[in-house]
Amino acid sequence: MAQSKGTVVLAYSGGLDTSCILVWLKEQGYDVVAYLANIGQKEDFEAARKKALALGAKKVYIEDVSREFVEEFIWPAVQANALYEDRYLLGTALARPCIARKLVEIAQREGAQHVAHGATGKGNDQVRFELTCYALCPKIKVVAPWRLPEFYQRFPGRRELMDYAKKHGIPVPVTPQTPWSMDENLMHISYEAGILENPKPRAGGVSCICSLIGNFTARPSVCVPVKVTNTGDGATRSSALELFVYLNDIAGKHGVGRIDIVENRFVGMKSRGIYETPAGTILYHAHLDIEAFTMDREVRKIKQGLSLKFSELVYNGFWHSPECEFLRECIGRSQEPVLGTVRLSVFKGHVYILGRESPRSLYNEELVSMNVQGDYEPADATGFININSLRLKEYHRLQSKVTVKQDE
């Protein structure tokens, strides 16, 4: 029997890795408290509780953090129009600090000096979990089995892990025929590893079809989605969680938000993943549209740069860094005029903007009209063009001189 090493709170999912890790931690002499975050995934939580207790956990926490996930993590990302490498809506990256925050809280509640997770030594999640833990509880000790030689040398692959599970009577959903990793939360589902590590073959379908016409609104005090209305049946959803779940259902049926990409991990390697982000994709397009309609051009240019940095920080696990906190404040301030309604439809995997209106609109129909002169003097454009062409004239005048001199 290994000497007692104290209590460790394990971020537990009930899958192959964390189920085996729970048993392995007990072998090492830890008292294991299992923590399962309800972050919107389809899960039999009571069955997961019974499984963790059967595997030897001395206590199991199942914490519903789905509302906080939407309001405190997804909404700031919507405000930022956050996209990593122009395509990834950061579903997993946003979830990790939310999960890890509660992990630390439970460790403090239990008086545990250790926390553990099942993230691999090659991925981003190890960084995201641990940076959050160290930021919120600097003295915490992290046990990361997939980085310990005694663990990864014993389990060099999924096959060995499944053999261990079989030996210890650990029921797991993963089989050798379907050896990929899946992560599900309220915002998205991701698929990685296994057969998906070959970026060439086309992956099997994971979405289907429906259609929707809806409204998206926001108020300047918080500038987040506050209501969605299906104009077909009049159904309206207003609370953050209810709204997001509804959009996930409608857009998911239509196949909206699925991407197959190769991305750059923070640790320095490229990886291939498939992501489904239905509600997030609708809200991204709706917010982008109303923002362009209501935000000053130069403010928007600055905000776009902030959004790029925000996306990078979130992806890399720096949600609780001072720079990310600063960016969230700046981006939030930029959203004060972003108020309005966007009318859109989704059809066969696409989001179509049909129209928008806002009391804070900077669009002046009379000013832009080709049929009305309005408060604009066309003759003024001559001076505007002359001033802007001066730099170009001087540049090309110099280039001509250089070319002639080189030819001599």
Side-chain angles (χ1 to χ4, degrees):
M1 188 74 177
Q3 185 178 355
S4 176
K5 295 181 179 178
T7 299
V8 59
V9 181
L10 170 66
Y12 176 77
S13 70
L16 173 64
D17 288 36
T18 56
S19 294
C20 291
I21 286 171
L22 193 162
V23 175
W24 184 83
L25 286 169
K26 283 183 58 61
E27 285 183 351
Q28 308 311 302
Y30 291 100
D31 292 323
V32 182
V33 173
Y35 153 56
L36 176 58
N38 175 358
I39 203 158
Q41 71 272 35
K42 295 178 180 65
E43 176 98 42
D44 186 337
F45 292 102
E46 191 53 39
R49 181 195 301 277
K50 290 178 180 176
K51 179 179 177 181
L53 290 171
L55 294 178
K58 74 170 187 177
K59 190 181 292 187
V60 179
Y61 284 88
I62 297 177
E63 300 287 322
D64 188 344
V65 294
S66 51
R67 182 186 59 79
E68 298 98 305
F69 182 40
V70 175
E71 294 179 354
E72 299 176 37
F73 295 87
I74 295 177
W75 279 179
V78 171
Q79 287 184 327
N81 301 322
L83 275 182
Y84 180 70
E85 295 188 338
D86 304 316
R87 291 192 287 177
Y88 174 38
L89 285 164
L90 298 166
T92 296
L94 289 165
R96 294 320 188 217
C98 181
I99 295 170
R101 183 173 68 180
K102 184 65 69 172
L103 178 68
V104 169
E105 181 185 311
I106 291 170
Q108 292 173 328
R109 196 184 310 170
E110 288 290 321
Q113 293 183 317
H114 302 85
V115 294
H117 60 76
T120 72
K122 289 186 176 181
N124 298 303
D125 281 342
Q126 57 179 337
V127 183
R128 295 163 181 160
F129 276 126
E130 294 181 37
L131 289 184
T132 295
C133 290
Y134 290 134
L136 300 181
C137 186
K139 294 183 179 179
I140 201 75
K141 294 180 176 64
V142 177
V143 181
W146 281 115
R147 296 205 308 269
L148 299 174
E150 60 267 33
F151 187 88
Y152 65 71
Q153 288 174 3
R154 183 177 177 184
F155 306 110
R158 287 291 187 270
R159 174 72 63 180
E160 291 78 11
L161 211 57
M162 285 187 278
D163 289 343
Y164 180 82
K166 184 177 180 180
K167 178 181 177 182
H168 290 82
I170 303 170
V172 291
V174 176
T175 69
Q177 287 73 41
T178 56
W180 56 64
S181 173
M182 180 178 123
D183 176 64
E184 179 184 3
N185 62 50
L186 190 64
M187 189 172 186
H188 87 164
I189 301 176
S190 68
Y191 306 85
E192 289 185 325
I195 61 172
L196 300 180
E197 288 172 355
N198 182 346
K200 186 177 180 181
R202 184 175 172 224
V206 286
S207 298
C208 49
I209 294 177
C210 190
S211 63
L212 165 81
I213 297 176
N215 288 332
F216 168 93
T217 62
R219 62 180 184 271
S221 59
V222 291
C223 189
V224 295
V226 296
K227 183 171 69 174
V228 60
T229 301
N230 187 319
T231 59
D233 60 15
T236 296
R237 306 289 190 278
S238 298
S239 76
L241 183 57
E242 187 183 39
L243 180 158
F244 204 85
V245 170
Y246 179 71
L247 284 180
N248 260 341
D249 179 55
I250 296 296
K253 289 176 181 177
H254 190 82
V256 166
R258 183 186 179 195
I259 60 172
D260 182 335
I261 66 172
V262 173
E263 69 198 58
N264 289 295
R265 287 181 179 169
F266 186 31
V267 294
M269 64 187 75
K270 291 184 184 291
S271 68
R272 187 267 188 107
I274 296 171
Y275 302 102
E276 295 180 276
T277 318
T281 300
I282 283 184
L283 295 175
Y284 172 81
H285 287 288
H287 179 265
L288 193 65
D289 188 82
I290 201 67
E291 186 178 80
F293 195 52
T294 57
M295 186 178 286
D296 174 77
R297 181 186 72 181
E298 297 304 314
V299 172
R300 190 158 183 262
K301 285 181 182 177
I302 295 171
K303 191 258 180 177
Q304 285 175 308
L306 297 179
S307 297
L308 186 65
K309 185 62 178 177
F310 172 83
S311 302
E312 179 185 291
L313 289 172
V314 172
Y315 184 86
N316 292 344
F318 288 92
W319 180 272
H320 289 287
S321 66
E323 62 270 31
C324 195
E325 291 178 359
F326 174 73
L327 282 180
R328 291 200 297 275
E329 288 291 327
C330 292
I331 290 169
R333 173 66 176 82
S334 78
Q335 298 298 291
E336 291 182 1
V338 185
L339 162 70
T341 299
V342 177
R343 184 180 174 89
L344 58 86
S345 69
V346 293
F347 184 66
K348 293 188 176 180
H350 296 281
V351 178
Y352 299 93
I353 302 296
L354 305 178
R356 78 289 296 158
E357 58 183 321
S358 169
R360 300 292 298 271
S361 168
L362 292 176
Y363 179 86
N364 185 329
E365 188 173 354
E366 183 180 274
L367 181 63
V368 78
S369 173
M370 295 295 187
N371 300 315
V372 181
Q373 183 170 320
D375 260 346
Y376 181 77
E377 182 56 59
D380 292 344
T382 301
F384 176 79
I385 293 168
N386 286 339
I387 291 296
N388 277 280
S389 70
L390 180 61
R391 177 177 60 90
L392 305 181
K393 291 175 180 177
E394 288 302 295
Y395 171 77
H396 286 283
R397 180 182 63 79
L398 177 61
Q399 290 299 106
S400 297
K401 285 184 176 180
V402 171
T403 302
V404 170
K405 188 172 182 180
Q406 288 175 342
D407 291 341
E408 289 177 350

